[in-house]
Amino acid sequence: MNPSSPPRSRQIPVIVLAGFLGSGKTTLLNHLLRHRAGNRIGVIVNDFGSIEIDAMTVSGQVGSTVSLGGGCLCCAVDVSELDSYLETLTRPAARLDVIVIEASGLAEPQELVRMLLASDNPHIVYGGLVEVVDAAEFAATRERHPEIDRHLAVADLVVLNKTDRAGEAEQLRIREAVAATGSTAAVVSASYGRVDPELLFDPALRPDGEEKARQLSFEDLYLEERAAESGEEHGHLHAAYESLDFTSDVPMSPRRLMAFLDSRPEGLYRIKGYVDFGAGDPDNTYALHAVGRFLRFAPQPWTRGGPRLTRLVLIGSGIDVPALRKELEGCRAPDGPTPDTAQDAAHERSMWGVLRYVRGPGDDT
């Protein structure tokens, strides 16, 4: 995420895109493919019907794979073969940056999430469950499919789609219904599935410079044409969300930072970056990846001669950026070489087991 960040084993985020029939999942997926920020995207379609993706129709026949252009691929699979397709798509030869699983309109998305979290594939990392909701037909959908409440409760991000057809009062009712399920997910509004891709994944950074000098692509031409038609500024298709960049040259306290992460507020969707724990582990920085309730720390050796800093990016909807910055500043380690008390010192030592642990949506801790 930063040129001075230490090298690390590459993991591909896998995003589950769910929502009932007619909610606009495929429209949102098409939008991501057209505004992919230089990424090569793998698409896994969990459906047995005919699903139109851009100008192509992907047959529901198990095992079919088609190229979507720009290095993107699409597979139509039986969910029981998900692991084998993830193995294929994460091979270095595929050169993919992001994988999106478009769940069947009647699928139980939490089952796909469980499969991803239980996967032994070392090349993937859970990228979040995105639930797409038709804001104009929410009441009718809920009446036909009361299980939508269960889907909303486990979502990491809720996209209220088709808000051009739903008034502010109706959107507020939907947000209240989402909150009533116990969900702490970020909720963003969209029309025609237009969410900013950076809400879901980072722009591609090619170390070999291949994206710096290239021919004008069809994606570039499409974006320019679309911007001219709609009056949108090129590259600025935003769903409303906020982001916070945090940098500290003072090491962080494991105890304080974990307390912050365990109590992170509603609407805080993604956290990414690197953490310096100072004398607690002078040999390593800790890569932090959090999406929704999923949290993962991974120790990595410091880059020789590089700066020893904590660098974090927080992304969410409806978050209080100044308050979050103040909380993070309060997570810095106390002055002095050791914690204030023997009890605190024991607590700090016990945190190193926690920091090598992956917490998922099903964990109680």
Side-chain angles (χ1 to χ4, degrees):
M1 72 172 268
N2 188 291
S4 61
S5 296
R8 61 194 188 280
S9 57
R10 185 170 174 272
Q11 289 188 304
I12 302 173
V14 181
I15 300 165
V16 178
L17 183 60
F20 286 93
L21 297 172
S23 62
K25 297 190 305 297
T26 303
T27 301
L28 191 153
L29 177 57
N30 284 334
H31 171 78
L32 294 178
L33 289 169
R34 291 168 178 154
H35 303 84
R36 55 193 176 87
N39 284 286
R40 298 184 179 94
I41 302 177
V43 179
I44 297 178
V45 180
N46 169 221
D47 206 309
F48 291 98
S50 291
I51 299 179
E52 186 174 326
I53 297 183
D54 274 45
M56 304 178 189
T57 298
V58 180
S59 167
Q61 180 181 356
V62 173
S64 62
T65 303
V66 298
S67 171
L68 299 177
C72 300
L73 301 173
C74 185
C75 310
V77 307
D78 185 334
V79 70
S80 66
E81 296 186 340
L82 181 61
D83 273 335
S84 65
Y85 273 86
L86 287 173
E87 180 65 31
T88 299
L89 291 176
T90 55
R91 289 174 181 167
R95 304 180 68 201
L96 295 178
D97 301 293
V98 182
I99 296 173
V100 180
I101 301 176
E102 183 183 0
S104 160
L106 298 177
E108 287 290 340
Q110 59 266 46
E111 292 302 321
L112 289 171
V113 172
R114 288 193 188 103
M115 291 179 71
L116 291 175
L117 293 177
S119 175
D120 293 327
N121 190 326
H123 305 297
I124 65 171
V125 63
Y126 177 59
L129 168 59
V130 180
E131 182 78 15
V132 185
V133 172
D134 183 342
E137 299 291 336
F138 178 73
T141 301
R142 202 179 190 191
E143 184 174 348
R144 289 194 306 271
H145 303 289
E147 62 270 28
I148 193 175
D149 283 7
R150 186 169 65 251
H151 296 189
L152 291 169
V154 298
D156 300 302
L157 175 69
V158 177
V159 176
L160 296 188
N161 196 29
K162 306 184 185 181
T163 52
D164 55 310
R165 295 171 46 199
E168 290 186 8
E170 178 60 19
Q171 293 181 49
L172 178 59
R173 281 193 289 271
I174 297 172
R175 289 174 180 270
E176 290 173 345
V178 172
T181 68
S183 171
T184 59
V187 181
V188 297
S189 299
S191 298
Y192 304 100
R194 296 176 190 163
V195 297
D196 192 324
E198 290 193 40
L199 189 59
L200 303 176
F201 49 77
D202 300 330
L205 295 176
R206 305 289 181 202
D208 56 5
E210 65 182 75
E211 292 292 332
K212 293 179 182 177
R214 58 180 175 81
Q215 291 183 324
L216 193 66
S217 70
F218 284 110
E219 181 184 11
D220 297 322
L221 294 172
Y222 176 84
L223 289 174
E224 290 181 4
E225 179 183 351
R226 185 61 174 267
E229 290 176 355
S230 64
E232 294 166 337
E233 292 185 31
H234 181 67
H236 290 81
L237 293 172
H238 289 287
Y241 67 92
E242 298 81 33
S243 64
L244 164 63
D245 294 326
F246 177 80
T247 301
S248 175
D249 57 2
V250 177
M252 308 296 279
S253 159
R255 175 175 53 84
R256 294 179 182 182
L257 184 61
M258 289 304 297
F260 167 80
L261 292 171
D262 283 341
S263 61
R264 53 194 186 271
E266 294 182 10
L268 182 53
Y269 174 56
R270 291 179 69 199
I271 308 176
K272 55 187 179 177
Y274 295 89
V275 181
D276 173 21
F277 288 116
D281 189 351
D283 297 326
N284 292 297
T285 181
Y286 281 72
L288 168 59
H289 168 74
V291 58
R293 290 171 292 275
F294 175 83
L295 172 64
R296 179 179 181 274
F297 272 101
Q300 298 173 11
W302 284 105
T303 300
R304 184 176 298 176
R308 299 201 168 198
L309 301 172
T310 292
R311 290 191 175 106
L312 296 173
V313 178
L314 288 71
I315 300 173
S317 177
I319 59 176
D320 187 336
V321 171
L324 285 175
R325 184 181 299 280
K326 186 175 181 180
E327 286 189 57
L328 282 171
E329 289 171 350
C331 292
R332 292 179 172 131
D335 292 335
T338 59
D340 295 335
T341 67
Q343 182 178 8
D344 282 347
H347 197 164
E348 296 276 306
R349 287 194 297 271
S350 72
M351 293 307 299
W352 299 109
V354 176
L355 291 176
R356 297 167 195 269
Y357 179 67
V358 176
R359 294 187 180 184
D363 293 328
D364 295 325
T365 55

